[in-house]
């Protein structure tokens, strides 16, 4: 109840925290997805920041996120200016994935109280875009102690998921006029920053929060690899879609054709799993808005190639998970030096399965392979959601609700419903 009072005391927010907590042998897939949802909000989420965090270092109630950097550490940019390994590294990736999940979950269940959950996530994205004083810079996360301090270096990854999630939410029935206006304001701020900074003079770097150049190449938005080429036009396209401002449309049209042409050159074997998911999300957004038949056909071809690339990776990750401790907790980064092996392998394998399935399911032109459906079901059932410390459960439940939105697992759900009804009759 203390957490609920922190969240503005709204009774409706209980919808974000409730859900099945058990996913034992014989449980339905939805019970597992509900357990993942419950754990996500109750253990990975901080109501002060409206953000989800990367991992847990304890299963003791109230101590799950005790490792998060202090305001002093963030201000000193310890251990690095990206916050790598601290639990604050992927706040906007997680926000985008969870907002996407809420949209798909609503499409399946029609639960209107999910609008409250969506608005909480948007508050976190807004805080990371406006709350630090560098308008339009999408910070990875904001320090929970002062709600202002940030690590000054972000990345394409954070921008991609935040924009994709906001765009999907704004176009969904969950968002009312005020919600769409707020999403448009956030996207407008992001796009304006891109217009100012992503220029030949800056080598197309979107720059750090303080305006300095990124030295890792992770903020470069153009003249990038094939799987990254669609990121810049998708930002402009999303901003145009929600604002109808001509300057964003002009920027979108300037980049779209060469971006999609380059997207078709991506190297499956050399592209990371998260890169494939983000590429597919960018293409999904552009596919929905593009009107040029030739470009739209190319987008479809690129999405098909991504899907084909992801299916075997999902299967390999599920198999690999058999050899890993999926109940391990993360080491404190101050001692370990970051999110290091062997824990990192356990942390990432769940996320990789979810990422690969999300990418496959985004490609609605094609049927989802039976192997992919089996992989999703297998991974959902493998986890003990009372003892799971990886944010990969965000991606896993996102894949599940996308599958349900596409009509998959309906038979399994009906069988489970019938079984419960029969057990009740006895």
């Amino acid at each position: 109840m203390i957490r609920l009072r922190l969240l503005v005391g709204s009774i409706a927010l209980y919808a974000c925290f409730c859900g099945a907590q058990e996913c034992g042998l014989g449980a339905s897939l939805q019970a597992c997805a509900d357990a993942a949802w419950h754990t996500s909000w109750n253990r990975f989420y901080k109501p002060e920041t409206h953000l989800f965090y990367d991992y847990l270092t304890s299963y003791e109630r109230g101590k799950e996120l005790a490792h998060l950097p202090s305001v002093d550490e963030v201000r000193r940019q310890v251990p690095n200016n990206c916050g790598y390994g601290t639990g604050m590294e992927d706040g906007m990736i997680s926000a985008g994935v969870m907002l996407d999940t809420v949209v798909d979950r609503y499409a399946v269940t029609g639960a209107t109280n999910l609008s409250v959950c969506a608005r909480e996530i948007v508050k976190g994205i807004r805080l990371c875009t406006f709350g630090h004083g560098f308008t339009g810079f999408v910070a990875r996360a904001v320090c929970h102690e002062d709600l202002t301090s940030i690590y000054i270096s972000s990345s394409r990854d954070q921008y991609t998921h935040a924009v994709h999630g906001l765009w999907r939410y704004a176009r969904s029935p969950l968002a009312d006029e005020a919600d769409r206006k707020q999403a448009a304001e956030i996207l407008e701020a992001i796009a304006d920053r891109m217009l100012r900074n992503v220029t030949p003079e800056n080598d197309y770097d979107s720059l750090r929060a303080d305006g300095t150049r990124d030295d890792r190449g992770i903020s470069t938005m153009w003249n990038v690899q094939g799987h990254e080429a669609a990121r810049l036009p998708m930002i402009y396209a999303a901003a145009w879609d929600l604002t109808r401002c001509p300057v964003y449309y002009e920027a979108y049209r300037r980049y779209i054709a060469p971006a999609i042409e380059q997207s078709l050159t991506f190297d499956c074997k050399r592209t990371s799993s998260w890169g494939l998911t983000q590429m597919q999300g960018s293409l999904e957004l552009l596919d929905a808005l593009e009107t040029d038949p030739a470009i739209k056909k190319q987008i479809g071809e690129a999405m098909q190639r991504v899907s084909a690339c992801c299916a075997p990776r999902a299967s390999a990750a599920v198999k690999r998970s058999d050899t890993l401790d999926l109940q391990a907790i993360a080491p404190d980064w101050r001692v370990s030096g970051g999110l290091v092996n062997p824990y990192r392998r356990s942390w990432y394998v769940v996320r990789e399965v979810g990422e690969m399935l999300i990418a496959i399911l985004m490609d609605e032109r094609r049927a989802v392979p039976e192997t992919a459906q089996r992989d999703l079901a297998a991974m959902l059932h493998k986890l003990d959601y009372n003892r799971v410390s990886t944010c990969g459960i965000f991606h896993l439940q996102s894949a599940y609700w996308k599958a349900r939105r596409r009509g998959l697992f309906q038979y399994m759900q009906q069988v489970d419903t019938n079984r419960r009804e029969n057990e009740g009759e006895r």
Side-chain angles (χ1 to χ4, degrees), residues 307-347:
S307 299
C309 185
C310 291
R313 287 202 188 185
S315 296
V318 171
K319 184 176 181 180
R320 193 164 64 251
S321 70
D322 290 335
T323 66
L324 300 171
D325 182 359
L326 300 180
Q327 295 186 17
I329 57 171
D332 191 316
W333 59 271
R334 297 173 184 87
V335 178
S336 67
L339 203 60
V340 296
N341 288 325
Y343 174 74
R344 186 178 178 86
R345 286 191 287 268
S346 300
W347 173 83

Side-chain angles (χ1 to χ4, degrees), residues 28 60 64 133 141 159 171 195 198 221 232 258 270 290 312 317 324 326 348 353 364 383 391 397 414 421 425:
S28 70
E60 184 178 345
E64 297 95 335
Y159 282 96
R171 287 168 58 97
L195 288 172
V198 182
M221 302 301 298
L232 184 61
R270 300 184 65 181
E290 186 55 47
L324 300 171
L326 300 180
Y348 189 64
V353 173
E364 297 202 13
L383 300 174
C391 67
Q397 63 188 293
Q414 187 59 51
E421 289 176 350
E425 291 173 0

Side-chain angles (χ1 to χ4, degrees), residues 90-129:
D90 284 343
M92 287 296 94
I93 290 178
S94 296
V97 170
M98 287 298 288
L99 192 52
D100 201 26
T101 301
V102 172
V103 171
D104 289 326
R105 184 172 178 165
Y106 176 74
V108 174
T109 67
T112 55
N113 49 16
L114 287 170
S115 63
V116 180
C117 307
R119 287 169 187 149
E120 286 300 306
I121 299 169
V122 172
K123 287 177 185 176
I125 297 176
R126 184 176 183 86
L127 181 65
C128 288
T129 308

Side-chain angles (χ1 to χ4, degrees), residues 4 7 10-19 34 36-43 45 52 98 102 105 113-121 397:
L4 299 182
L7 285 167
S10 172
I11 295 177
L13 277 169
Y14 182 69
C16 306
F17 289 87
C18 68
D34 286 345
W37 171 268
H38 179 273
T39 298
S40 299
W41 285 95
N42 282 271
R43 294 194 165 184
Y45 177 79
F52 296 90
M98 287 298 288
V102 172
R105 184 172 178 165
N113 49 16
L114 287 170
S115 63
V116 180
C117 307
R119 287 169 187 149
E120 286 300 306
I121 299 169
Q397 63 188 293

Side-chain angles (χ1 to χ4, degrees), residues 167-193:
W167 173 79
R168 283 212 70 216
Y169 169 58
R171 287 168 58 97
S172 78
L174 266 178
D176 62 20
E177 185 176 351
D179 297 323
R180 286 188 288 273
K181 181 179 179 182
Q182 179 171 217
E185 289 173 350
I186 298 172
L187 291 175
E188 186 175 25
I190 295 170
D192 285 346
R193 182 178 175 87

